[in-house]
């Protein structure tokens, strides 16, 4: 083939650091680029599989790891755009390509000649004198092929491919349906009565959202978390809180073309079939086989360590909420759209602290400086802005990342604002993964969905928003600091219940007084956050943790129950969810982090299916792991930071995760620090 073409996706990217030429790329470039890239990848596979030479690590495993460079480049760009800056034409390409990419993946993993070479190497791996990383790569690739059906009989292999293609179609549709519901909704606030109780920062972001949607003299509340949570926290209009809450919790549950109920049901049914083809009774068993937890029992044991205590704490919190409501002459029972509103009143009364007081100290730009500063103090990194580089949207800021000696480690893109063309939530992704085998440094992106301040006004973050910023940056560091030879074990290509450790661990630095005093500065006066306010933030850390833990754990329990089903046909997901919540005893008036009809962790891909528990699993590791810095007496201790970089952030999946953690910490983790962190530990007798 020739690269002499007008399609920029097929031309060499002679841009700075090999970044995509974003502003030259149009939607119509993707379909023909995928055609070329898919064919090129299959040619790579056929060369490896058909080699006359005896299978060896270099000509089979390393070659496979290097294969499909063009497909990786085009696919990474495409999937980042469909998440961060989509459009109806791009979504049409996404719907068309999803099953075709799944079919291509199946063709690769069902290549009998290729698997025969991999299998032969796996059989003789003990005699091959491989490095520890090479052995890990060989074992992981062999395992991935087996999990993708390489050992299935031909008829089962064909059916497996059909199942995976249909799942690709359905997961794509699920995510697009959620985005459609989110983009279509707007709660318009037209006068002072609609704005009652809202502090200035909420009013400002509502005015900005209205302006972006062509509305003047009004405010708009969208279904972005940075809009909906402050509205539910401060609005005195109980009727509008209920309206907003119902819109938020029923995304994906509306009859018509965006109804996710039949989509989720079919996904669950097909995942059941996928698991049975592999000999597992349920998808949860299949999914957990490639995790640290391994079994449903291990997950259940973890979740049950917090569920009863969380429910008991939530009931105590409800009593406090009901009491403050009664003191205001409001005798109705606390409903889900009331909880945040009254919790904020209790928080103000107990800790003399509220978001209107704290947010002026958490300007977005200052918090970005904070994450960069922590990365520098821990790992010697510098983030140098590249204002001359245009990304796919003007919101995106591009940075060159330099190591301590000034060498370029990678590129970091920061996309922080909510917009209708961007899916909800917060996430890290890559445009290119680090790999010495492919001679590549990492290009990493963090996406957030913060509510933009009004023109001329700063974007102010809540403390939870700032925590999200630190969390995603921890994922970003996991990609940027990767230091492995082979791409398949690079960066965040780790077991699902290990991947949240680097992100959740990095959150701890936000809470450190020396970080807050340096970076949390009032946006008007530049005065550092007062010691008294820092003390109040720390005192309030465990406030409302019963509520938060119940919402998370209930979602994790429903996820596991849905994927533990063994029937060939899944039930109606709304009725199943209702019955399961009744069975586990979800307290009223609290709700879930995510209902099944919009649970994108589970149904926009399979990444977190039977895996939402991983945040709690990783919290056991992060709470215990941060203790190493506490014990050292310095939260930036160089020795501990060096071990953290080597074994957690840089090793990718080149080490078995339990071994990686022990190498960092010197021992296995204990659960007690996590329980104490959440305020759920039993008091000593």
């Amino acid at each position: 083939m020739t690269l002499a073409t007008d399609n920029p996706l097929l031309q060499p990217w002679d841009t700075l650091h090999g970044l995509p030429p974003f502003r030259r790329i149009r939607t119509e470039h993707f379909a023909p680029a995928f055609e070329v890239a898919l064919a090129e990848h299959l040619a790579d596979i056929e060369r490896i599989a058909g080699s006359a030479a005896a299978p060896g690590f270099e000509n089979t495993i390393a070659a496979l790891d290097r294969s499909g460079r063009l497909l990786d480049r085009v696919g990474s760009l495409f999937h980042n755009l469909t998440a961060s800056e989509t459009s109806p034409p791009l979504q049409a390409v996404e719907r068309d390509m999803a099953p075709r990419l799944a079919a291509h993946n199946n063709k690769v993993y069902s290549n009998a000649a290729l698997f025969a070479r991999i299998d032969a190497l796996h059989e003789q791996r003990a005699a091959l004198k491989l490095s520890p990383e090479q052995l890990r790569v060989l074992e992981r690739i062999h395992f991935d092929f087996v999990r993708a059906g390489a050992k299935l009989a031909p008829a089962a292999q064909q059916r497996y491919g059909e199942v995976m293609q249909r799942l690709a179609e359905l997961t794509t549709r699920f995510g697009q349906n959620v985005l459609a519901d989110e983009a279509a909704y707007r709660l318009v606030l037209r006068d002072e009565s609609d704005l009652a109780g809202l502090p200035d920062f909420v009013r400002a972001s509502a005015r900005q959202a209205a302006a972006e949607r062509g509305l003047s003299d009004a405010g708009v509340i969208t279904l972005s978390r940075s809009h909906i949570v402050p509205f539910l926290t401060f609005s005195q209009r109980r009727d509008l809180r209920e309206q907003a809450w119902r819109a938020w919790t029923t995304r994906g549950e509306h009859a018509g073309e965006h109804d996710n109920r039949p989509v989720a049901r079919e996904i669950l049914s097909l995942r059941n079939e996928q698991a049975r083809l592999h000999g597992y009774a349920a998808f949860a068993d299949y999914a957990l086989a490639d995790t640290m937890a391994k079994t449903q029992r291990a997950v259940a044991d973890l979740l049950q360590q917090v569920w009863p205590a969380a429910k008991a704490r939530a009931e105590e919190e409800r009593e406090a909420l009901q009491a403050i409501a009664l003191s205001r002459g409001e005798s109705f029972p606390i409903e889900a759209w009331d909880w945040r509103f009254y919790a904020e009143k209790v928080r103000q009364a107990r800790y003399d602290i509220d978001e209107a007081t704290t947010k002026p100290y958490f300007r977005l730009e200052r918090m970005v400086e904070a994450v960069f500063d922590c990365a520098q103090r821990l790992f010697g990194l510098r983030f140098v802005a590249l204002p001359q580089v245009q990304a796919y949207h003007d919101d995106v800021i591009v940075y060159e990342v330099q190591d301590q000696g000034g060498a370029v480690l990678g590129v970091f893109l920061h996309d922080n604002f909510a917009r209708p063309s961007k899916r909800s939530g917060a996430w890290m992704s890559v445009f290119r993964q680090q790999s010495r085998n492919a001679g590549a440094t990492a290009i990493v992106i963090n996406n957030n969905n913060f509510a933009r301040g009004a023109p001329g006004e700063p974007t102010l973050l809540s403390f939870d928003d700032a925590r999200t910023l630190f969390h995603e940056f921890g994922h970003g560091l996991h990609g940027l600091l990767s230091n492995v030879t082979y791409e398949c074990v690079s960066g965040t290509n780790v077991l699902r219940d290990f991947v949240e450790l680097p992100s959740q661990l990095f959150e701890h630095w936000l809470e450190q007084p020396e970080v807050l005093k340096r970076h949390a500065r009032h946006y008007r006066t530049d005065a550092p956050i007062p010691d008294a306010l820092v003390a109040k933030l720390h005192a309030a850390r465990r406030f409302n943790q019963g509520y938060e833990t119940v919402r998370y754990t209930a979602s994790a329990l429903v996820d596991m129950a849905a994927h533990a089903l063994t029937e060939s046909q899944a039930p109606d997901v709304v009725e199943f969810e209702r019955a399961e919540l009744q069975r586990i005893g979800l307290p009223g008036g609290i709700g879930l982090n995510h209902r099944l009809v919009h649970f994108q962790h589970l149904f926009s891909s399979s990444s977190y299916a039977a895996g939402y528990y991983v945040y709690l699993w990783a919290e056991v590791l992060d709470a215990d792991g941060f203790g190493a810095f506490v014990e050292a007496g310095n939260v930036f201790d160089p020795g501990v930071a060096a071990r953290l970089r080597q074994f957690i952030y840089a090793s990718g999946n080149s080490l078995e995760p339990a071994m990686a953690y022990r190498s960092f910490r010197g021992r296995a983790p204990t659960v007690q620090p996590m329980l104490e962190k959440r305020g759920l530990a039993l008091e000593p007798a």
Side-chain angles (χ1 to χ4, degrees):
M1 61 159 286
T2 176
L3 291 179
T5 169
D6 290 335
N7 189 331
L9 294 173
L10 298 176
Q11 296 171 341
W13 289 357
D14 54 1
T15 52
L16 183 64
H17 301 310
L19 282 159
F22 291 109
R23 298 303 171 105
R24 294 173 50 211
I25 293 164
R26 300 191 302 274
T27 298
E28 56 266 30
H29 290 142
F30 280 105
F34 271 121
E35 292 291 343
V36 173
L38 291 169
E40 187 178 285
H41 188 213
L42 286 180
D44 289 345
I45 296 301
E46 290 302 327
R47 277 194 295 273
I48 299 168
S51 173
F57 184 90
E58 184 60 33
N59 69 15
T60 302
I61 303 302
L64 182 61
D65 186 71
R66 285 191 300 269
S67 69
R69 293 293 97 196
L70 179 60
L71 182 58
D72 286 346
R73 189 176 78 168
V74 174
S76 295
L77 172 60
F78 178 72
H79 293 302
N80 275 301
L81 291 180
T82 59
S84 302
E85 183 60 10
T86 194
S87 65
L90 196 61
Q91 289 182 320
V93 178
E94 185 182 22
R95 289 191 296 272
D96 179 58
M97 287 307 307
R100 297 175 65 189
L101 291 170
H104 173 82
N105 195 58
N106 185 63
K107 192 175 292 187
V108 171
Y109 281 96
S110 62
N111 186 304
L114 176 61
F115 181 65
R117 295 177 70 87
I118 296 168
D119 203 32
L121 291 169
H122 189 258
E123 284 291 320
Q124 54 183 305
R125 61 192 183 279
L128 294 178
K129 298 182 180 178
L130 301 177
S131 71
E133 182 181 343
Q134 288 175 327
L135 180 60
R136 178 75 174 167
V137 167
L138 172 57
E139 291 176 341
R140 289 301 307 172
I141 286 179
H142 184 269
F143 184 76
D144 288 344
F145 269 76
V146 172
R147 280 178 69 81
K151 286 191 171 183
L152 297 178
Q157 202 171 75
Q158 180 179 343
R159 177 55 188 161
Y160 188 82
E162 294 168 354
V163 167
M164 298 312 291
Q165 287 182 57
R166 180 59 178 160
L167 280 170
E169 294 175 13
L170 291 167
T171 53
T172 298
R173 188 192 307 173
F174 187 96
Q176 290 189 359
N177 286 347
V178 175
L179 180 60
D181 276 3
E182 290 173 347
Y185 181 79
R186 59 184 66 176
L187 175 62
V188 181
L189 310 176
R190 298 204 175 274
D191 54 34
E192 187 58 36
S193 66
D194 292 343
L195 297 163
L198 301 183
D200 289 344
F201 71 86
V202 180
R203 294 178 182 222
S205 63
R207 287 195 301 270
Q208 178 62 23
E212 290 170 356
R213 288 155 180 78
L215 297 176
S216 58
D217 299 323
V220 164
I221 299 299
T222 75
L223 295 182
S224 166
R225 186 176 180 85
S226 288
H227 272 177
I228 202 79
V229 169
F231 184 77
L232 293 174
T233 301
F234 294 107
S235 175
Q236 293 178 6
R237 287 284 300 275
R238 190 171 190 248
D239 59 328
L240 295 183
R241 293 203 308 268
E242 180 179 359
Q243 188 182 136
W245 180 86
R246 292 193 182 281
W248 195 30
T249 57
T250 58
R251 290 167 292 156
E253 196 184 358
H254 305 294
E257 62 175 322
H258 301 306
D259 190 348
N260 267 339
R261 289 170 291 188
V263 179
R265 184 180 189 182
E266 188 177 353
I267 289 173
L268 287 174
S269 298
L270 288 171
R271 284 178 177 163
N272 250 329
E273 185 176 357
Q274 177 188 1
R276 290 197 304 275
L277 284 166
H278 281 287
Y280 293 94
F283 183 82
D285 299 319
Y286 167 75
L288 289 168
D290 192 27
T291 63
M292 295 178 73
K294 298 297 184 189
T295 66
Q296 291 189 49
R297 170 49 52 195
V299 175
D301 287 347
L302 173 64
L303 295 177
Q304 287 303 324
Q305 286 193 69
V306 302
W307 182 239
K311 287 198 295 182
R313 180 62 53 84
E315 288 303 331
E316 295 173 7
E317 293 167 358
R318 182 199 306 282
E319 291 175 8
L321 269 54
Q322 202 73 63
I324 206 162
L326 287 171
S327 73
R328 293 161 53 94
E330 297 156 345
S331 59
F332 45 77
I334 299 295
E335 299 289 356
W337 50 89
D338 298 319
W339 193 290
R340 284 182 169 86
F341 179 79
Y342 289 105
E344 182 67 10
K345 304 302 180 193
V346 173
R347 188 167 76 132
Q348 291 176 20
R350 286 186 181 174
Y351 303 103
D352 188 27
I353 188 174
D354 60 57
E355 279 198 16
T357 301
T358 59
K359 286 190 81 160
Y361 292 96
F362 290 90
R363 181 173 180 162
L364 173 60
E365 292 81 0
R366 287 286 197 181
M367 291 300 101
V368 172
E369 290 174 8
V371 296
F372 290 171
D373 182 47
C374 289
Q376 193 279 323
R377 297 174 72 184
L378 285 165
F379 307 123
L381 304 186
R382 290 182 65 240
F383 289 75
V384 181
L386 302 174
Q388 73 276 25
V389 176
Q390 286 187 313
Y392 54 85
H393 192 281
D394 289 342
D395 285 348
V396 184
I397 302 176
V398 182
Y399 300 87
E400 180 180 276
V401 186
Q402 299 175 359
D403 213 337
Q404 197 155 12
V408 175
L409 193 69
V411 179
F412 178 65
L413 289 79
H414 224 179
D415 186 352
N416 282 318
F417 296 113
R419 50 182 179 267
S421 56
K422 186 180 186 181
R423 73 172 172 87
S424 60
W427 67 98
M428 167 268 190
S429 184
V430 296
F431 289 94
R432 187 176 68 209
Q433 300 194 81
Q434 179 272 333
S435 164
R436 288 193 292 276
N437 189 36
T441 54
I443 301 177
V444 168
I445 182 169
N446 272 181
N447 276 274
N448 292 297
N449 267 283
F450 302 135
R452 191 194 306 271
E457 293 295 320
T459 295
L460 303 179
L461 305 184
S462 68
F463 199 60
D464 282 344
D465 285 338
R467 183 177 288 111
T468 297
L469 186 82
F470 270 70
H471 178 100
E472 296 307 330
F473 191 74
H475 281 308
L477 288 174
H478 198 185
L480 288 165
L481 289 171
S482 177
N483 186 21
V484 299
T485 300
Y486 302 100
E487 183 177 305
C488 67
V489 294
S490 176
T492 58
N493 293 328
V494 296
L495 302 194
R496 182 56 58 191
D497 42 11
F498 191 81
V499 76
E500 297 298 335
L501 169 59
S503 54
Q504 292 179 192
L505 185 56
F506 198 73
E507 292 178 32
H508 287 265
W509 276 273
L510 170 63
E511 299 181 351
Q512 302 312 305
E514 64 183 280
V515 174
L516 290 170
K517 292 294 289 183
R518 178 183 291 199
H519 297 288
R521 306 182 77 91
H522 199 284
Y523 77 97
R524 291 190 188 278
T525 66
D526 201 41
I529 189 169
D531 291 337
L533 186 50
V534 173
K536 290 174 184 178
L537 285 170
H538 278 261
R541 274 184 304 180
R542 295 175 178 173
F543 174 70
N544 217 31
Q545 275 299 300
Y547 170 81
E548 297 292 353
T549 306
V550 162
R551 286 173 57 82
Y552 165 77
T553 310
S555 295
L557 288 167
V558 169
D559 164 35
M560 289 305 301
H563 286 103
L565 293 168
T566 55
E567 298 85 354
S568 59
Q569 180 64 48
D572 173 88
V573 295
V574 173
E575 177 55 31
F576 172 82
E577 178 184 274
R578 185 203 61 76
E580 185 63 19
L581 293 176
Q582 184 176 35
R583 186 189 72 79
I584 65 176
L586 175 70
I590 291 180
L592 300 162
N593 272 4
H594 309 282
R595 294 189 55 230
L596 290 176
V597 285
H598 54 251
F599 207 158
Q600 297 203 71
H601 286 76
L602 310 189
F603 296 121
S604 288
S605 75
S606 63
S607 296
Y608 287 82
Y612 194 60
Y613 77 91
V614 301
Y615 293 94
L616 191 63
W617 187 278
E619 192 172 345
V620 172
L621 302 178
D622 83 65
D624 182 84
F626 190 73
F629 287 92
V630 175
E631 291 160 15
N634 176 6
V635 296
F636 294 101
D637 182 83
V640 180
R643 294 200 310 274
L644 179 64
R645 177 173 183 165
Q646 178 182 355
F647 296 112
I648 304 300
Y649 284 97
S651 64
N653 201 8
S654 65
L655 297 175
E656 190 274 327
M659 179 190 301
Y661 186 84
R662 285 195 301 271
S663 298
F664 158 61
R665 192 67 172 97
R667 57 167 175 74
T670 63
V671 73
Q672 191 65 18
M674 180 275 289
L675 296 173
E676 292 172 355
K677 176 183 170 185
R678 286 184 174 255
L680 301 175
L682 295 175
E683 297 296 332

